[in-house]
Amino acid sequence: MIEKIAAYGQYDVVFSSIDDFDLDFFLQKYYSSAQKIVLVDENTYKYCLDYLITSVPSLAQAEVIVVPAGESTKTMETAIQLWSTLLEYGISRNAVCINLGGGVITDLGGFVGALYKRGIDCIHLPTTLLAMVDASIGGKTGVDFEGVKNQIGVFYFPKLVLCDTAFLATLPEEQILSGYAEALKHGLINSRELWNKITTNSPKSINKQLLKEIVKVKNEVVLQDPLEKNLRKALNLGHTIGHAIESLFLEENPIPHGFAVAWGLVYEAKIATNVGELSIEEFNEIRSHIVKHYGEPNNLENHIEDLINWMKKDKKNDGEGINFSLLAAIGDVKINQIVAEEHIIEALLSAF
Ligand SMILES: NC(=O)c1ccc[n+]([C@@H]2O[C@H](COP(=O)([O-])OP(=O)(O)OC[C@H]3O[C@@H](n4cnc5c(N)ncnc54)[C@H](O)[C@@H]3O)[C@@H](O)[C@H]2O)c1
C-alpha cells in the first residue's frame, strides 16, 4: 500500500518505492511536454541517479546537473551558476526540476527553482534520512550566506515529495545518524510516546511506518504555522546552538548537520533545566541517549565567544536577545524563550 500525507502547499509526501508509486506515470500525466531537469550532487549522481532513470523512462532525456557534494555547495554562488546553466539549456518556465539528494540539494534546488523565471515546479526525491524526515518537507528553501546558515531563502512548496527508502542503502552510517537527530527532535517536541518509539529504534531501523509518523509531526506544525510566525519555531529546538556549532566548523572542518543538532538538543535541554521547567531526570535521559549515538562534542569550551556571536545571527532573534525554543518536558516545547548570555554560557560549559 502507498502511504502518503497531504502537506501544506497542496502536495503529497509519499512513502513508497519509485516503482510502486509509478513516478513515470505521474510525470507523464502532469509534465508530459515539460522540459525535465534532475539536480544531483556528486554522490547522488553516483549512487542514486541510475536507479531513478532506469525506473522512470520519461527521464531518459532529462538534463542532469551535478554540483559538488556538501554544505559548502549551498551558496548564492552555486545558485547563480545553476541559473546560468538553466538559461544556457534554454529551460522554460513550464519545466520541472527534480531534486535528487539530501537537504543540501532540496534546499538549493528548491531555492533555484523558486526564483528561476519566477518559479518552475519542483519535485523532491530525498535520498538521506535527514531530508526524508525534515529538509524536504515544509517548503523552506535557501542558501547559506557569508558563512551563516540559511540566511537567504524563500518559502516554496514542491509539487511532490517521494520518500523511497531504497536510497538509504548507500547512505554512510554517519549520515543515517545525522538524520536520526532530526527524528529525535520531532519526538521531543511531539510526545513522550513518539520519543520512546524513536529511541527504542536504532537509527538504521526506522521503517516506512515510523518515518511517516515522524514526518506527520513536522507537517502538522507547518499546517498550523506555514510561514514560521509562531508555532513553527518549535521545529528549531536544538538549532539555535546547533546552527552555531555547524557554522563554527563550516569552513575548516564541516560536521554533519544532525550531529550539530544532536549536541544542540543537549545544550538547550541543559538551559531548559537551569532556567526553565525541564526536569533533571529528563535532561539526563536526553543527554545519555544522544551521547550513546553521537559521543560528546570536542573542545567547544574554547569557542564560547564565537558560538554566542553565531547565535546572535539566528533568524529567530527579533532584537530582544537570543531566542530559543525550550523543552518544558519531553513532548512539550515552549517557543520565544529569550535566554541571557550567562545562562547560555553556563550550559555550554556544563551540559556534557
Ligand atoms: N529546509 C528545511 O526545512 C531543512 C530542515 C533540516 C535541514 N535542512 C538542511 O539540510 C541540509 C542537511 O541535509 P543532509 O544531511 O541531507 O545533507 P547533504 O545533502 O549534504 O547529504 C549528506 C551527504 O550524503 C550524501 N548522500 C546523499 N544521499 C546519498 C545516498 N543515498 N547515498 C550516498 N550518499 C548520499 C551527500 O552527497 C552528502 O555528502 C543542511 O543544509 C540543513 O540546513 C533543511
Side-chain angles (χ1 to χ4, degrees), residues 18-201:
I18 290 175
D19 275 349
D20 287 350
F21 172 71
D22 203 345
L23 182 60
D24 198 52
F25 175 77
F26 180 92
L27 288 175
Q28 285 181 33
K29 184 169 170 193
Y30 295 108
Y31 298 101
S32 63
S33 60
Q35 293 160 298
K36 297 171 187 73
I37 305 127
V38 182
L39 179 65
V40 287
D41 70 18
E42 295 150 322
N43 291 323
T44 57
Y45 175 80
K46 188 168 167 192
Y47 297 114
C48 308
L49 186 66
D50 266 1
Y51 170 57
L52 173 65
I53 305 276
T54 48
S55 314
V56 184
S58 50
L59 288 177
Q61 305 303 320
E63 300 286 3
V64 175
I65 305 180
V66 190
V67 294
E71 185 71 25
S72 56
T73 285
K74 214 179 94 174
T75 60
M76 272 313 268
E77 290 72 22
T78 318
I80 290 167
Q81 281 169 16
L82 289 170
W83 287 317
S84 298
T85 306
L86 295 180
L87 282 175
E88 211 176 284
Y89 289 167
I91 300 300
S92 71
R93 201 175 166 179
N94 70 353
V96 58
C97 180
I98 294 157
N99 298 312
L100 178 69
V104 165
I105 290 296
T106 55
D107 276 14
L108 175 70
F111 178 69
V112 166
L115 297 187
Y116 183 74
K117 305 206 181 213
R118 299 206 179 87
I120 56 173
D121 284 1
C122 287
I123 291 174
H124 294 331
L125 298 186
T127 61
T128 62
L129 181 60
L130 190 139
M132 290 183 194
V133 297
D134 200 349
S136 67
I137 321 289
K140 276 191 186 176
T141 74
V143 294
D144 306 331
F145 188 63
E146 298 193 344
V148 190
K149 294 269 310 167
N150 306 328
Q151 292 294 294
I152 309 286
V154 59
F155 287 98
Y156 192 64
F157 297 92
K159 296 299 174 193
L160 171 74
V161 175
L162 175 55
C163 298
D164 182 342
T165 50
F167 286 125
L168 301 180
T170 55
L171 194 63
E173 197 165 330
E174 183 184 64
Q175 295 300 338
I176 296 275
L177 266 175
S178 181
Y180 183 66
E182 296 283 13
L184 290 171
K185 177 202 74 181
H186 287 160
L188 285 173
I189 66 171
N190 183 255
S191 62
R192 163 54 78 177
E193 190 192 348
L194 186 59
W195 164 257
N196 287 350
K197 219 184 254 186
I198 297 168
T199 52
T200 47
N201 268 273

Side-chain angles (χ1 to χ4, degrees), residues 238 241-242 245 260-274 283 296-301 307 324 326 343-344 346-352:
I241 295 184
I245 299 173
V261 170
W263 292 323
L265 288 170
V266 176
Y267 286 121
E268 294 183 16
K270 182 66 177 168
I271 296 175
T273 54
N274 290 352
F283 164 72
E296 295 185 11
N298 224 340
N299 205 19
L300 282 187
E301 324 69 78
L307 288 168
F324 285 84
L326 291 180
H343 296 304
I344 304 172
E346 222 241 291
L348 287 171
L349 291 172
S350 65
F352 286 94

Side-chain angles (χ1 to χ4, degrees), residues 218-338:
K218 177 159 185 182
N219 191 46
E220 275 160 20
V221 173
V222 174
L223 281 170
Q224 292 176 66
D225 179 22
L227 303 183
E228 199 169 309
K229 302 287 181 213
N230 277 303
L231 182 66
R232 189 166 176 173
K233 290 181 190 167
L235 294 169
N236 287 308
L237 185 75
H239 283 64
T240 309
I241 295 184
H243 274 159
I245 299 173
E246 194 181 0
S247 298
L248 184 70
F249 295 110
L250 199 59
E251 286 192 357
E252 303 210 328
N253 186 16
I255 55 170
H257 177 77
F259 279 63
V261 170
W263 292 323
L265 288 170
V266 176
Y267 286 121
E268 294 183 16
K270 182 66 177 168
I271 296 175
T273 54
N274 290 352
V275 300
E277 299 164 40
L278 186 70
S279 71
I280 189 78
E281 291 76 23
E282 288 200 327
F283 164 72
N284 284 333
E285 180 183 343
I286 294 165
R287 179 177 60 182
S288 71
H289 192 73
I290 283 174
V291 169
K292 177 172 138 198
H293 289 290
Y294 303 89
E296 295 185 11
N298 224 340
N299 205 19
L300 282 187
E301 324 69 78
N302 297 334
H303 299 281
I304 302 278
E305 202 181 324
D306 290 339
L307 288 168
I308 297 282
N309 285 335
W310 287 114
M311 285 177 224
K312 287 182 177 160
K313 296 177 185 162
D314 190 275
K315 292 193 304 300
K316 293 190 299 311
N317 300 336
D318 57 7
E320 282 184 39
I322 302 176
N323 184 316
F324 285 84
S325 300
L326 291 180
L327 286 176
I330 290 177
D332 180 9
V333 63
K334 302 230 179 310
I335 60 168
N336 292 333
Q337 306 292 301
I338 307 295

